[in-house]
Amino acid sequence: MSTDSISRARLADLTARELATFADRHAGSRAAYANADHLFGRVPMTWMNKAAGNFPIYLDKARGSRITDVDGNEFVDFALGDTGAMAGHSPEPVVAAVTARLRNGLATMMPTEDAAVAGAELARRFGLPAWSFALTATDANRWAIRLLRAVTGRSKILVNSYCYHGSVDESLIVVGPDGRGASREGNVGAPVDVTMTSRVAEFNDLAGLERELAYGDVAAVLMEPALTNIGIVLPEDGYLAGVRELTRRYGTYLINDETHTFSAGPGGATAYWGLEPDVVTIGKAIGGGVPVGAYGLSAELAGTLSGRDDLDLVDMGGVGGTLAGNPLSMAATRATLSEVLTEAAFAGMIETATAFADGLVKIIEGYGLPWSVSRLGARVEYRFASPAPRNGTESARGADAALEDFLHVYLANRGVLLTPFHNMALMCPQTTPADVARHHEIFDAALKELV
């Protein structure tokens, strides 16, 4: 059976039924959303409107792998804040560290010893010796880009089509139908035409990458070692080594954004695949739910930057922020890396994710659906395409918003949450085999009704 052979009328009827159930189960959330007149879009951050049930679920409390909403509904949470809570919700070591810090100063513009410990642990895990902190991975990427433009004297950044690097302006570019770079659909208020600041190549396309690097104006390649936000797209054999060889050949720096690919293991994809980037950027999960971002520099790059007296790295040069490296974020990061997202924790999370992926494959194959399942460490994703997409454009082409929304709201009505942006399930240290079995039971029931 193909996805195209699924009855769209049947899908619409089932979705309407599930939406009615969702509205009944979430009266408190619906009322809170209706009353939020003074929030733009009725939510504190506009992305929260990405909700399959027509309005977002409102949080009461969350702990470990469980969320309880304002209506008293409990959920097994596989979204985990789209990676922000990969350590689990409110892990005890982070709560203890943050609580202690709350009593002793939050915004001082002074360093703490926690920052040095966190930096040393990031250096150990990712193999880059010099680290600096931000409040988000977006800012870490922005600042890394500025540093590498300054060092190289080159103006452009190269990214992969349908990549995800937060709201970095330079990343909102895709490969258009004619094979050339074009602004990503929906790009809001771009300061300039994105092709003036950026170049783009498809993931897994070394020939396309070399073609763009040959212009000689690319300061850095900013990439995820595996695409994640358009569905997981894994690197083909030899691709990442080829990227590193080409960037060195053309005098271009390489930034690995590990914000989502941190799921690959304690040192992210960089350690798991033995990569050698010049810069690593990361955020979300390393703070255990507290806002933080970071970037790490190679010894060569850190030395070059330190020797540049013409660059204002202290005051108004465009790198840094008043609350970056604040005591609260540093306490949370130290606790998360030292006591929560440990090597032992990752081993358990990856074992659970492997079982999740294996079970999904069995269910999908049982219905003869031409879908695929991909896994990156503790992160699992299914796509409405088989074989699995090999680049971002193919992955985007395989999207099916109506089918995705049905599955999401069906799962939510029965107490399971996936990330609202796509069909991603993430494991945290507290995710259990019973949680996986619960998801699979509901997922199988959804497909049985649908097909």
Side-chain angles (χ1 to χ4, degrees):
M1 175 181 290
S2 71
T3 301
D4 289 342
S5 69
I6 291 174
S7 167
R8 291 290 146 170
R10 176 68 173 157
L11 176 61
D13 288 345
L14 288 171
T15 301
R17 184 196 72 189
E18 293 300 318
L19 287 173
T21 300
F22 185 89
D24 289 341
R25 283 173 52 85
H26 297 95
S29 288
R30 187 172 71 252
Y33 188 65
N35 291 332
D37 294 333
H38 296 289
L39 294 176
F40 178 53
R42 297 189 177 277
V43 286
M45 190 267 288
T46 53
W47 294 0
M48 294 177 184
N49 276 317
K50 180 70 171 175
N54 293 329
F55 57 86
I57 295 169
Y58 274 63
L59 173 70
D60 176 28
K61 57 188 176 183
R63 197 67 183 264
S65 63
R66 294 293 190 274
I67 281 179
T68 304
D69 69 12
V70 294
D71 291 288
N73 300 306
E74 184 177 275
F75 302 89
V76 177
D77 185 21
F78 289 104
L80 295 173
D82 196 25
T83 308
M86 192 169 76
H89 296 292
S90 299
E92 190 54 44
V94 176
V95 171
V98 167
T99 300
R101 175 44 59 189
L102 283 171
R103 300 190 184 99
N104 292 289
L106 301 177
T108 59
M109 285 202 67
M110 298 171 67
T112 61
E113 292 178 297
D114 287 338
V117 173
E121 179 62 9
L122 289 168
R124 184 187 72 81
R125 293 185 182 212
F126 290 95
L128 296 174
W131 287 80
S132 191
F133 291 95
L135 280 179
T136 66
T138 292
D139 274 346
N141 282 319
R142 285 181 178 138
W143 300 345
I145 285 170
R146 292 182 75 101
L147 293 173
L148 297 180
R149 280 188 171 131
V151 169
T152 62
R154 297 178 178 181
S155 62
K156 292 193 175 181
I157 304 300
L158 188 145
V159 298
N160 293 126
S161 193
Y162 291 97
C163 62
Y164 183 67
H165 303 289
S167 56
V168 171
D169 289 329
E170 288 86 348
S171 69
L172 298 175
I173 186 172
V174 296
V175 175
D178 61 356
R180 304 176 66 180
S183 181
R184 187 162 178 171
E185 184 178 2
N187 187 358
V188 178
V192 296
D193 183 338
V194 71
T195 60
M196 294 178 64
T197 63
S198 306
R199 294 192 176 277
V200 63
E202 293 285 8
F203 195 80
N204 280 322
D205 181 4
L206 290 175
L209 173 63
E210 182 167 19
R211 183 172 59 249
E212 297 299 318
L213 292 179
Y215 286 97
D217 56 2
V218 176
V221 170
L222 169 61
M223 70 179 295
E224 298 176 282
L227 296 183
T228 61
N229 219 50
I230 194 68
I232 295 172
V233 179
L234 296 171
E236 295 174 347
D237 289 346
Y239 171 65
L240 295 176
V243 171
R244 180 69 280 194
E245 192 279 324
L246 285 172
T247 51
R248 284 175 172 153
R249 186 192 310 172
Y250 287 95
T252 300
Y253 285 101
L254 176 61
I255 308 171
N256 278 2
D257 185 343
E258 289 273 17
T259 303
H260 285 172
T261 56
F262 187 31
S263 64
T270 296
Y272 183 69
W273 284 319
L275 308 179
E276 297 179 352
D278 303 294
V279 180
V280 164
T281 56
I282 194 167
K284 292 190 180 182
I286 63 170
V290 174
V292 67
Y295 61 91
L297 308 174
S298 68
E300 175 269 330
L301 182 55
T304 298
L305 287 164
S306 296
R308 289 284 298 271
D309 294 336
D310 59 317
L311 303 180
D312 184 353
L313 299 177
V314 174
D315 192 5
M316 295 298 294
V319 176
T322 302
L323 295 179
N326 69 79
L328 190 70
S329 294
M330 295 300 92
T333 302
R334 177 180 182 173
T336 302
L337 295 175
S338 300
E339 301 180 63
V340 186
L341 289 179
T342 61
E343 292 188 12
F346 268 103
M349 291 155 62
I350 291 169
E351 181 179 357
T352 305
T354 301
F356 192 103
D358 291 346
L360 271 182
V361 169
K362 186 176 295 185
I363 293 168
I364 290 167
E365 288 181 346
Y367 289 97
L369 291 166
W371 299 358
S372 56
V373 177
S374 299
R375 182 179 65 82
L376 180 65
R379 178 186 300 267
V380 182
E381 184 119 18
Y382 59 89
R383 304 293 295 162
F384 307 130
S386 183
R390 64 182 299 271
N391 61 48
T393 299
E394 286 183 10
S395 194
R397 194 180 297 131
D400 187 327
L403 182 55
E404 184 174 296
D405 282 353
F406 164 69
L407 291 169
H408 281 230
V409 75
Y410 192 100
L411 287 160
N413 282 342
R414 292 154 184 83
V416 173
L417 297 178
L418 298 183
T419 185
F421 298 102
H422 38 102
N423 304 314
M424 188 275 287
L426 185 64
M427 313 298 130
C428 69
Q430 299 84 7
T431 307
T432 67
D435 296 337
V436 172
R438 179 63 179 148
H439 169 273
H440 288 1
E441 176 187 357
I442 299 167
F443 183 71
D444 180 75
L447 295 188
K448 187 175 293 184
E449 289 206 63
L450 185 63
V451 305

